[in-house]
Amino acid sequence: MRLSRFVLLGVAVSAMVGCSEPSDGPTTPNIPPLAYVRYINAVPDTLGTTVRFIDQVDYSPISWANVQFRGLGQGNYQPTEAKARKFRVFTYSADVSTAGNTNILVDTTITFDAGKYYTLLHLGYARAGSTPKQRIVVITDALPATPAGIAFRAIHAGLDVGNVDIYATATTTDAITGAPLLANVSLNTVSAYLARATGAFAARVTAPGSTTAVISAAAPAGTAGSSSVDPLGGATVAGSIITAIAFPATPANSAGARFTTPGVVYFIDKQPPRTTPNP
């Protein structure tokens, strides 16, 4: 009889546990304040690079692996917990167990503010005895409001190129005339965003006061998109926000990707908005 009472009590308790009410209200993830960070490799004399945030796994960018000279880390801007963040830049190795991935180029801590966008420009030379030595240049990307045309800026990362003037012409072969868009631009200068009408153009880089181009590069046209395809930023697509970066040639002893002349590469900072709604 006592055993029966204990069995019944156990069944009642189990029933109460199984029928307990769920907690009130929806469950929301505890997401910390975020910044948005990207990495660009402007080191011309070494292998591709790998970037790892080493202070924590959560709310850190994916590892940017094997980023070649003149290249952008995978995924463009990545959400990153906004605070002081420690990361390292390594020379790339396909086998993470080899010494190649323990060759640390940069070991640093940078504080990121919530809601801001950043470009980590890895600038300089990695080889011993070369100057300037490689380092991370932190650029706060004050993205403008979506422009009626496009917004365009330039960054001078052309080691050993010297100060430059920057023009914009319709093609890479048009005569350069008039005043430059940006005059006497020095290494590590980041221009403000300039408003431009949509339309094909090419960046033309000259020595100060000269009209002879030392670098010419056409901007990507972009794709307007449709009801089923997102637009891709470019010179002909309204709402595009674009950065052009001038890079040097690679030295003769470079171990990575080789470029025999200086060049300009365009990066889309912000894609244009969809103009045709989804069906």
Side-chain angles (χ1 to χ4, degrees):
M1 188 123 174
R2 289 182 181 175
L3 180 59
S4 299
R5 285 199 296 267
F6 283 128
V7 170
L8 290 173
L9 179 60
V11 170
V13 170
S14 297
M16 291 173 64
V17 171
C19 296
S20 61
E21 292 292 331
S23 59
D24 293 336
T27 300
T28 57
N30 185 22
I31 299 176
L34 299 174
Y36 302 90
V37 183
R38 67 179 178 180
Y39 169 84
I40 293 174
N41 182 359
V43 180
D45 63 342
T46 190
L47 298 168
T49 56
T50 293
V51 184
R52 295 195 183 99
F53 281 64
I54 61 173
D55 53 347
Q56 65 188 55
V57 174
D58 292 340
Y59 303 107
S60 294
I62 58 173
S63 290
W64 289 306
N66 196 21
V67 183
Q68 295 295 311
F69 171 54
R70 302 189 183 184
L72 170 70
Q74 300 91 329
N76 204 3
Y77 290 107
Q78 294 290 317
T80 307
E81 184 169 359
K83 61 179 183 179
R85 301 302 309 274
K86 184 173 179 60
F87 65 93
R88 289 176 180 161
V89 182
F90 305 82
T91 52
Y92 171 74
S93 171
D95 181 356
V96 297
S97 67
T98 65
N101 249 356
T102 61
N103 183 10
I104 299 173
L105 299 175
V106 175
D107 184 348
T108 192
T109 299
I110 294 172
T111 298
F112 301 110
D113 294 331
K116 292 186 178 180
Y117 287 73
Y118 296 89
T119 294
L120 304 180
L121 182 66
H122 192 179
L123 180 69
Y125 291 110
R127 297 297 179 91
S130 298
T131 55
K133 296 297 294 180
Q134 52 86 29
R135 66 197 189 281
I136 295 293
V137 177
V138 182
I139 301 169
T140 302
D141 296 333
L143 302 179
T146 300
I150 68 168
F152 165 81
R153 71 171 179 177
I155 298 175
H156 186 351
L159 304 166
D160 297 330
V161 172
N163 288 14
V164 299
D165 289 346
I166 301 175
Y167 294 81
T169 57
T171 72
T172 58
T173 57
D174 286 355
I176 296 174
T177 60
L181 285 178
L182 302 164
N184 200 30
V185 180
S186 59
L187 180 67
N188 198 26
T189 294
V190 181
S191 81
Y193 283 98
L194 306 174
R196 288 184 59 84
T198 56
F201 75 93
R204 314 291 297 282
V205 181
T206 74
S210 171
T211 56
T212 300
V214 294
I215 306 173
S216 295
T223 303
S226 67
S227 60
S228 59
V229 177
D230 286 332
L232 295 176
T236 66
V237 184
S240 300
I241 300 176
I242 305 170
T243 290
I245 301 183
F247 292 98
T250 47
N253 63 350
S254 173
R258 298 299 305 277
F259 297 91
T260 58
T261 60
V264 167
V265 179
Y266 295 88
F267 300 90
I268 305 301
D269 301 342
K270 186 177 181 180
Q271 298 290 354
R274 184 193 291 269
T275 56
T276 304
N278 285 319

